[in-house]
Amino acid sequence: MKEYQTITEISGPLVFAEVDEPVGYDEIVEIETEDGRTLRGQVLESSEGVVAIQVFEGTGGIDRNASVRFIGETMKMPVTEDLLGRVLDGSGNPIDGGPEIVPDERQDIVGEAINPFSREYPEEFIQTGVSAIDGMNTLVRGQKLPIFSGSGLPHNELALQIARQATVPEEEGGEDDEGTEFAVIFGAMGITQEEANEFMQDFERTGALERSVVFMNLADDPAVERTVTPRLALTTAEYLAFEKGYHVLVILTDITNYCEALREIGAAREEVPGRRGYPGYMYTDLATLYERAGRIEGREGSVTQLPILTMPGDDDTHPIPDLTGYITEGQIVMDRDLNSQGIEPPINVLPSLSRLMDDGIGEGLTREDHGDVSDQMYAAYAEGEDLRDLVNIVGREALSERDNKFLDFADRFEEEFVQQGYDTNRSIDETLELGWDLLSMLPKEALNRIDEDLIAEHYREDESEVAEATADD
């Protein structure tokens, strides 16, 4: 293995060195400093005679006298089923005081694209226990469904709640227990030490750590490491899903910090920036992460992604949410107004969307009435929202009795359906029954999106009478 002492330039997280033979893209590099430390890096750019190396631990302490060794292989993640219950840093090293990882194999962290012909269409329901998601924007196995949040909103609490509660309901017909094991991979990028402590305390308190693998990249860790963390997490997820038959939910927070790291590296390389200074290839880079979700024909497991991103300035046209929306299959939107009202979790269902919801609900998957109830609640809540604007102009007294019922519905929808706290785990049956309770406030003739047979079976006359009495008072 050749050793070079040919460093010509150090720029931010990058080191440039001269070489006399071809070096592979993404190859792992070891840099030994004069004080005896060995730092790891990765070849970012390889041209004739010069290579650019991004250093995972930062470039502090590196000078022209440091020696550079090229390992001859790309970065690999040591994978084994024993990773469940472990906490690793952003580079995949254990930080929980447990034993060293003895891997079954070492897999390339870049992963392999799933052959489109081999992809199985996502169809089965994942129950998160959160009504605003399960009832209105259902998550399906193999889907990628991001959470669009904002700075200061409780997206971390929602992420922890989903990590704790998410399950794959047993299919009717009594499928054997094998193949329905559920695991959570939690990849944190650029979070503070305080947030990391909260995550770990919650995982340990609730016992969720037993079925989880946690990757922690903190805010004071090098930005370059942040670009590796989600790839390590997804490599582990693919191994558990496609080699061991687990249904894996991957929660990545915060994608915004990941994109900031891309921008920092791009600036250090003096690349021509794209929109708002982010690299022009950010769309492609994000796609290499998001497209690793899915199911493969003939394999038992699945990889489902729930990436979380904070929209800078709550701007959904910002490049990060904008590009994410192009690649993923919908979005869950957290709302600042609902949060200020004390709604937990503050999910605004109107701009939220799950494009695969229709394929993951209905008879044999959730319940026969799921689609109709969801559609009707959307329509009624949207009408109630419009009426709130009207009330600000003309006052409530000017509205008809029917309009007042829709206004009451919108209030109760937020206070009873969306509001549930972060410790309440609702089954899909409880969510749909709660939906029927609310819809029964409205007159039967207003339920124009629900099949008449379902109305006859589920509509609660007593709720309608209570609503009328309340309106009279």
Side-chain angles (χ1 to χ4, degrees):
M1 202 186 302
K2 270 193 179 179
E3 202 165 285
Y4 296 86
Q5 279 192 320
T6 55
I7 292 175
T8 58
E9 186 187 343
I10 298 168
S11 172
L14 303 184
V15 170
F16 295 86
E18 292 177 346
V19 292
D20 59 2
E21 60 186 17
V23 175
Y25 176 68
D26 267 356
E27 196 170 309
I28 290 298
V29 182
E30 286 181 352
I31 299 176
E32 198 168 310
T33 61
E34 277 193 301
D35 58 5
R37 288 187 306 141
T38 300
L39 306 176
R40 287 195 314 160
Q42 194 172 20
V43 173
L44 197 63
E45 196 173 314
S46 181
S47 56
E48 200 171 331
V50 179
V51 293
I53 303 160
Q54 55 179 5
V55 185
F56 297 139
E57 292 94 343
T59 52
I62 299 176
D63 57 20
R64 291 177 188 274
N65 298 319
S67 56
V68 179
R69 288 190 299 274
F70 297 95
I71 304 301
E73 62 174 31
T74 55
M75 191 168 183
K76 290 181 164 52
M77 173 71 194
V79 288
T80 166
E81 216 169 336
D82 296 335
L83 281 169
L84 289 168
R86 300 300 302 272
V87 183
L88 314 171
D89 67 11
S91 294
N93 304 308
I95 53 171
D96 55 3
E100 278 295 308
I101 295 165
V102 180
D104 292 342
E105 55 184 287
R106 296 170 73 245
Q107 293 189 348
D108 200 309
I109 67 162
V110 177
E112 295 178 15
I114 300 176
N115 183 335
F117 185 76
S118 302
R119 274 189 187 270
E120 207 168 89
Y121 196 79
E123 278 177 336
E124 288 94 357
F125 165 67
I126 289 180
Q127 182 172 292
T128 64
V130 179
S131 290
I133 297 176
D134 291 349
M136 309 295 285
N137 300 284
T138 310
L139 182 64
V140 178
R141 283 187 231 171
Q143 185 176 7
K144 37 195 181 292
L145 186 65
I147 295 174
F148 285 9
S149 185
S151 181
L153 291 179
H155 44 268
N156 288 340
E157 286 84 346
L158 179 60
L160 283 169
Q161 182 176 17
I162 293 170
R164 262 195 324 268
Q165 296 178 178
T167 55
V168 177
E170 289 296 326
E171 292 176 22
E172 290 175 21
E175 185 185 319
D176 59 13
D177 287 340
E178 291 178 35
T180 57
E181 292 177 282
F182 197 81
V184 175
I185 309 287
F186 197 92
M189 295 164 281
I191 62 169
T192 63
Q193 185 66 56
E194 185 183 2
E195 288 173 322
N197 292 341
E198 280 176 23
F199 282 136
M200 290 318 306
Q201 285 165 8
D202 193 274
F203 271 114
E204 286 163 7
R205 176 178 62 83
T206 59
L209 188 59
E210 288 176 18
R211 61 167 190 171
S212 306
V213 186
V214 180
F215 291 84
M216 286 279 185
N217 168 273
L218 301 180
D220 60 349
D221 289 333
V224 174
E225 185 183 89
R226 219 155 287 155
T227 64
V228 175
T229 305
R231 291 178 169 83
L232 294 170
L234 287 164
T235 303
T236 307
E238 287 170 346
Y239 172 78
L240 291 173
F242 304 134
E243 306 286 331
K244 298 296 179 183
Y246 282 80
H247 293 300
V248 184
L249 177 64
V250 182
I251 299 174
L252 299 173
T253 180
D254 179 344
I255 293 291
T256 302
N257 294 334
Y258 172 84
C259 293
E260 295 291 347
L262 285 184
R263 181 161 69 170
E264 187 179 321
I265 294 164
R269 289 173 67 183
E270 297 180 2
E271 295 170 341
V272 177
R275 269 199 300 165
R276 305 209 193 176
Y278 291 94
Y281 53 80
M282 189 164 77
Y283 178 87
T284 311
D285 195 284
L286 287 172
T288 62
L289 298 181
Y290 296 144
E291 292 296 349
R292 291 173 76 172
R295 306 188 62 192
I296 297 178
E297 228 171 72
R299 305 281 181 94
E300 199 59 66
S302 61
V303 175
T304 307
Q305 281 190 36
L306 207 64
I308 297 170
L309 57 92
T310 49
M311 299 181 286
D314 291 352
D315 178 12
D316 58 9
T317 65
H318 186 278
I320 300 171
D322 191 34
L323 297 180
T324 295
Y326 280 124
I327 303 164
T328 53
E329 291 131 2
Q331 68 277 333
I332 305 292
V333 179
M334 300 192 81
D335 187 83
R336 209 169 283 282
D337 290 338
L338 289 177
N339 188 52
S340 64
Q341 293 170 36
I343 304 293
E344 297 178 346
I347 294 172
N348 187 350
V349 300
L350 294 179
S352 299
L353 169 70
S354 171
R355 292 192 179 99
L356 301 183
M357 173 174 172
D358 289 347
D359 301 299
I361 63 172
E363 201 168 1
L365 293 164
T366 53
R367 237 171 61 173
E368 183 189 8
D369 57 332
H370 190 160
D372 286 1
V373 169
S374 171
D375 289 348
Q376 188 64 64
M377 283 200 291
Y378 258 119
Y381 182 53
E383 189 166 342
E385 276 283 283
D386 290 341
L387 288 166
R388 282 173 175 171
D389 295 335
L390 189 60
V391 164
N392 292 334
I393 301 165
V394 301
R396 187 150 187 171
E397 297 74 22
L399 298 185
S400 67
E401 185 184 338
R402 178 187 181 280
D403 288 348
N404 275 302
K405 284 184 178 176
F406 276 93
L407 266 178
D408 292 336
F409 174 87
D411 292 339
R412 280 188 64 189
F413 178 81
E414 290 171 356
E415 291 161 9
E416 296 176 32
F417 190 87
V418 180
Q419 161 68 29
Q420 66 177 79
Y422 296 110
D423 295 313
T424 306
N425 185 359
R426 288 184 188 152
S427 70
I428 188 62
D429 280 324
E430 289 171 323
T431 292
L432 293 176
E433 289 306 318
L434 183 53
W436 276 110
D437 284 346
L438 297 177
L439 289 174
S440 297
M441 295 169 60
L442 305 174
K444 270 187 187 178
E445 58 272 15
L447 305 183
N448 51 12
R449 292 169 184 260
I450 303 181
D451 188 273
E452 288 180 10
D453 293 341
L454 294 174
I455 292 175
E457 185 181 344
H458 295 281
Y459 187 81
R460 297 156 172 65
E461 299 286 353
D462 52 335
E463 284 287 337
S464 185
E465 287 163 16
V466 169
E468 281 176 27
T470 307
D472 292 342
D473 292 344

